[in-house]
Amino acid sequence: MMLKVDDIEFKYRSTPILDEVSFSVEAAEVVSILGPNGVGKTTLLKCINGILKAKKGTVMVGKESLTDMSRLEIAKRVGYVAQKSDTSMATVFESVLLGRKPYVRWDVTREDVRVAGEMIDRLGLSDLSMKYIGEISGGEFQMVQIARALVQDPKILLLDEPTSNLDLSNQVRIMSLIKDTVEQNNISAILTMHDLNLAIRHSNRFILLKEGRIYAAGGVEVLTPDVIGEVYGIPVCVETIRGQPVVVPA
Amino acid sequence: MMKLSEEKFNNTNSAPVTRSSDRYLRYIARKTLFLISCIILLFVMMIISVSVGTLSIPMEEIVRSLVGLESNYSNIVWHIRMPRVLAGIVAGASLAVAGAVMQSILKNPLASPYTLGLSQSAAFGAAFAIIFLGAGSAISGTTGTVIVNNPYIVTIMAFVWALVGMTFIMILSAMTRVSPEAMILAGVAIAAIFQAGTTALQFFADSIQLSSIVYWTFGDIGRVTWSQCGVLIAIMIPTLAYFIYNRWNYNAMDAGEETARGLGVDTGRMRIIGMILSSLLSAVVVSFMGIIGFIGLVAPHITRRVIGGDHRFLIPGSALIGAILLMGSDTLARTIISPMVVPVGVITAFLGGPLFIYLLVKGYKK
């Protein structure tokens, strides 16, 4: 088992956001966290990598507890692609190289530069490498963010709405990249998603949150009209097209 | 190292001519060259700055004085020109680095010691010392010029009040979870309060005290002595070392709050320490020299425009550009209507304002 989240509880001031959230993720698995806006999806990701301190509960990566680790040590094990990221005055190469920060002692080494360069070349971002982040498209920026998380050499990849604001082609491209990377490197990815059909196509398992608790979890079989309707509060149909379930509002 | 299926993700539009890392290393070499060029320019300007003034000193005599050989100009070089030039370098570098760090940690291109109210709170302290502690009520009998007759009290009070201003900003921002927006807004509020306080003090001042306050607020490098230069250097070097040590943390913070935290950076702590040290740096400069606007704002912007936002180069680059700008402005201030010396703060504002507008327009066009 790669990741085990046990009994996470988080409150903002006195308002409970997450309560008794427990699940585990296997190696080479992509898990999508689903649920309406404000249900606690992003908070859950932040609790996993220690950006937010959970009031209760533990997070284990393999046999190591992230709960007791420093931020820097967590960053060596968990790569995080935030929903909001600033377009700083950095080039694409500099942005990807930043992913080596948890390993930097005094300065980046030639090896760090090589690792970042290789990732950029492999993702097909070579032609953009010396461009400023502000000069590239939204899809390319998302690729850069994922590249930055990957050069952290993480065991767990957390991605907060990785396909939001992307066109159809970039959505598929990013999701394929995540799935292939996870499978080839035997790591795990946890995503928060709004597009149920994209999640169904590219994820192994699903966790549906309702009012800060896990309402349902499992493979594609848990995504029934009743469950989705209950979680999102609207009636839906689940039809099968080319052997794959497709969620359609009723 | 992460594996990826190359054939699936390679951009097939155009194959890279060279590997990205090679390009990056060449890019880094260009940035290094920029820093080296700045060091050479600074050195050349330093010699020019020592040479020109009411009395021109030949280059040969400057070199003789500096290496300890006998020269008629030794006194002028060592006791008048060199402290001034060195003060310009150290103050320019300090204000620029403070501005660069403030702009990064507050994520606001307008952040500088001046816009965050530190200069205004120091000016309030100076006005307080001049009016209530009797530190500035004398007029030179021969020239009719106003003299701050106890500069030490003025300097100490300016420094103390600059720290008071900084403490207010930190408390207000801590109450709102140390967000960059809260710090900027707190700074603007503090600037307004101390500006009003200084105006109120001026209302109660007599004409000589009023002249002293106005004289103090003109930034002037010429007031600085060797021992004050020593204090400036003693504060600048460890502070600069701290900023350079944390350059990767600032790079991470540039990418966004959550990204930085995800990379292991304690952003709240970095922001508080960064603000305290950059405020301290600017408070020392302002209390010794008065208000010198625009260096802290413009120097980091010029550097960013030329070599980008990588703090490994931005911090030393800003220091060098700040030093060049302030020393250059002071040289101009001493020569433009020689033998009169224009306050350097006037020159930096006149040069910095249009330069800033130019950078702004150029930036937006891009």
Side-chain angles (χ1 to χ4, degrees):
Chain A
M1 191 175 303
M2 188 64 91
L3 177 81
K4 187 168 168 53
V5 175
D6 191 25
D7 199 16
I8 289 283
E9 185 186 319
F10 183 84
K11 284 183 181 173
Y12 181 71
R13 292 182 179 152
S14 58
T15 313
I17 306 291
L18 296 172
D19 193 20
E20 293 178 7
V21 175
S22 302
F23 63 92
S24 56
V25 182
E26 300 294 333
E29 210 178 23
V30 176
V31 173
S32 282
I33 300 173
L34 308 172
N37 288 330
V39 78
K41 300 188 295 293
T42 300
T43 306
L44 179 55
L45 291 192
K46 288 181 183 176
C47 284
I48 291 172
N49 77 345
I51 287 181
L52 293 175
K53 287 285 169 209
K55 198 170 170 57
K56 208 177 107 189
T58 54
V59 180
M60 303 283 290
V61 172
K63 290 177 180 173
E64 297 175 311
S65 167
L66 295 189
T67 320
D68 307 322
M69 268 183 206
S70 69
R71 279 179 204 269
L72 211 58
E73 288 304 311
I74 294 173
K76 290 175 184 172
R77 291 157 179 84
V78 183
Y80 178 56
V81 177
Q83 193 179 333
K84 288 178 193 162
S85 205
D86 293 351
T87 52
S88 61
M89 266 193 83
T91 60
V92 164
F93 198 102
E94 286 166 336
S95 295
V96 175
L97 186 61
L98 192 58
R100 299 300 295 169
K101 202 220 150 271
Y103 302 95
V104 170
R105 286 176 183 272
W106 170 247
D107 203 357
V108 284
T109 60
R110 284 217 164 219
E111 174 64 10
D112 293 321
V113 173
R114 189 192 63 75
V115 168
E118 217 164 283
M119 184 60 71
I120 286 169
D121 292 344
R122 285 183 175 187
L123 287 179
L125 297 169
S126 306
D127 292 345
L128 307 173
S129 63
M130 289 303 130
K131 283 202 169 188
Y132 284 109
I133 289 292
E135 297 172 336
I136 62 176
S137 72
E140 290 162 345
F141 181 50
Q142 196 62 295
M143 295 276 276
V144 170
Q145 294 222 83
I146 293 171
R148 177 168 61 212
L150 290 178
V151 299
Q152 277 177 250
D153 208 8
K155 291 188 174 73
I156 310 289
L157 204 51
L158 305 177
L159 301 109
D160 197 0
E161 296 184 26
T163 56
S164 60
N165 303 321
L166 295 185
D167 62 32
L168 188 61
S169 139
N170 274 311
Q171 285 179 10
V172 173
R173 188 173 159 81
I174 293 290
M175 291 303 287
S176 301
L177 166 63
I178 294 165
K179 196 151 199 284
D180 284 23
T181 307
V182 162
E183 285 170 2
Q184 287 170 25
N185 296 280
N186 211 32
I187 64 173
S188 312
I190 304 173
L191 292 68
T192 66
M193 294 287 288
H194 278 305
D195 187 331
L196 295 184
N197 294 321
L198 201 60
I200 289 169
R201 192 171 159 191
H202 296 278
S203 311
N204 303 98
R205 283 196 302 125
F206 310 89
I207 294 171
L208 289 101
L209 292 181
K210 189 187 177 194
E211 292 167 2
R213 286 168 172 259
I214 294 180
Y215 183 79
V220 74
E221 69 282 355
V222 299
L223 297 174
T224 62
D226 285 348
V227 168
I228 296 170
E230 192 63 39
V231 167
Y232 286 92
I234 57 158
V236 297
C237 304
V238 179
E239 292 173 6
T240 304
I241 299 176
R242 291 187 189 167
Q244 279 204 324
V246 175
V247 180
V248 185
Chain B
M1 167 67 192
M2 289 282 160
K3 291 181 284 182
L4 289 165
S5 53
E6 284 183 48
E7 63 284 1
K8 196 157 190 170
F9 297 108
N10 257 348
N11 189 343
T12 49
N13 294 337
S14 54
V17 181
T18 51
R19 287 173 63 238
S20 301
S21 48
D22 292 336
R23 265 188 243 168
Y24 174 71
L25 291 172
R26 283 203 298 274
Y27 177 64
I28 290 298
R30 284 203 298 275
K31 291 188 184 198
T32 310
L33 190 65
F34 172 79
L35 293 186
I36 293 169
S37 309
C38 285
I39 293 170
I40 293 169
L41 180 63
L42 182 68
F43 186 74
V44 170
M45 283 188 66
M46 198 174 116
I47 300 291
I48 293 171
S49 191
V50 173
S51 167
V52 300
T54 312
L55 178 74
S56 284
I57 304 174
M59 291 293 167
E60 187 191 330
E61 294 297 326
I62 295 172
V63 175
R64 285 180 70 84
S65 302
L66 290 177
V67 297
L69 294 174
E70 197 179 317
S71 167
N72 293 334
Y73 298 93
S74 279
N75 266 340
I76 301 175
V77 169
W78 279 109
H79 297 294
I80 298 173
R81 298 273 168 90
M82 275 306 282
R84 193 173 185 124
V85 165
L86 197 61
I89 292 172
V90 178
S94 298
L95 290 172
V97 168
V101 171
M102 284 174 173
Q103 285 164 18
S104 290
I105 60 181
L106 299 180
K107 298 208 65 68
N108 191 311
L110 275 177
S112 77
Y114 189 79
T115 49
L116 282 170
L118 293 165
S119 302
Q120 290 83 343
S121 49
F124 175 83
F128 183 85
I130 288 165
I131 294 170
F132 294 109
L133 305 177
S137 26
I139 286 191
S140 164
T142 50
T143 61
T145 51
V146 174
I147 297 169
V148 174
N149 62 10
N150 197 336
Y152 294 105
I153 293 181
V154 177
T155 301
I156 289 166
M157 288 308 289
F159 182 67
V160 167
W161 280 95
L163 293 187
V164 169
M166 180 195 80
T167 310
F168 272 136
I169 296 173
M170 300 312 294
I171 291 171
L172 286 171
S173 54
M175 284 162 64
T176 51
R177 294 171 167 241
V178 206
S179 73
E181 297 83 5
M183 279 188 169
I184 286 281
L185 292 174
V188 170
I190 294 297
I193 292 167
F194 280 108
Q195 185 76 57
T198 306
T199 309
L201 288 179
Q202 285 173 344
F203 184 76
F204 295 106
D206 61 33
S207 59
I208 297 171
Q209 287 171 334
L210 198 59
S211 305
S212 300
I213 294 169
V214 173
Y215 167 74
W216 187 88
T217 53
F218 291 157
D220 181 14
I221 297 178
R223 307 171 193 170
V224 178
T225 61
W226 270 114
S227 58
Q228 289 174 339
C229 262
V231 174
L232 283 169
I233 292 169
I235 291 176
M236 188 189 79
I237 288 175
T239 310
L240 191 60
Y242 171 84
F243 290 148
I244 289 174
Y245 180 74
N246 282 292
R247 61 208 186 283
W248 276 100
N249 288 331
Y250 299 136
N251 280 347
M253 287 170 79
D254 248 9
E257 187 78 9
E258 289 174 4
T259 302
R261 288 200 209 172
L263 288 166
V265 180
D266 187 341
T267 52
R269 187 163 157 266
M270 289 304 304
R271 196 163 285 129
I272 288 176
I273 297 177
M275 268 303 284
I276 290 173
L277 291 181
S278 52
S279 302
L280 183 73
L281 208 53
S282 17
V284 178
V285 172
V286 174
S287 52
F288 282 148
M289 301 181 192
I291 296 174
I292 299 169
F294 271 103
I295 298 289
L297 188 65
V298 171
H301 280 285
I302 294 174
T303 316
R304 236 183 239 113
R305 216 144 258 301
V306 181
I307 55 171
D310 183 345
H311 287 77
R312 290 180 297 164
F313 298 92
L314 179 65
I315 292 173
S318 296
L320 287 165
I321 294 289
I324 289 168
L325 281 181
L326 188 54
M327 193 173 59
S329 298
D330 185 59
T331 308
L332 201 61
R334 286 189 286 120
T335 52
I336 196 165
I337 48 168
S338 179
M340 283 180 72
V341 179
V342 180
V344 72
V346 176
I347 302 286
T348 56
F350 267 128
L351 289 179
L355 189 62
F356 194 64
I357 292 169
Y358 169 75
L359 289 173
L360 207 65
V361 171
K362 207 179 162 205
Y364 277 115
K365 272 185 182 167
K366 193 176 178 182

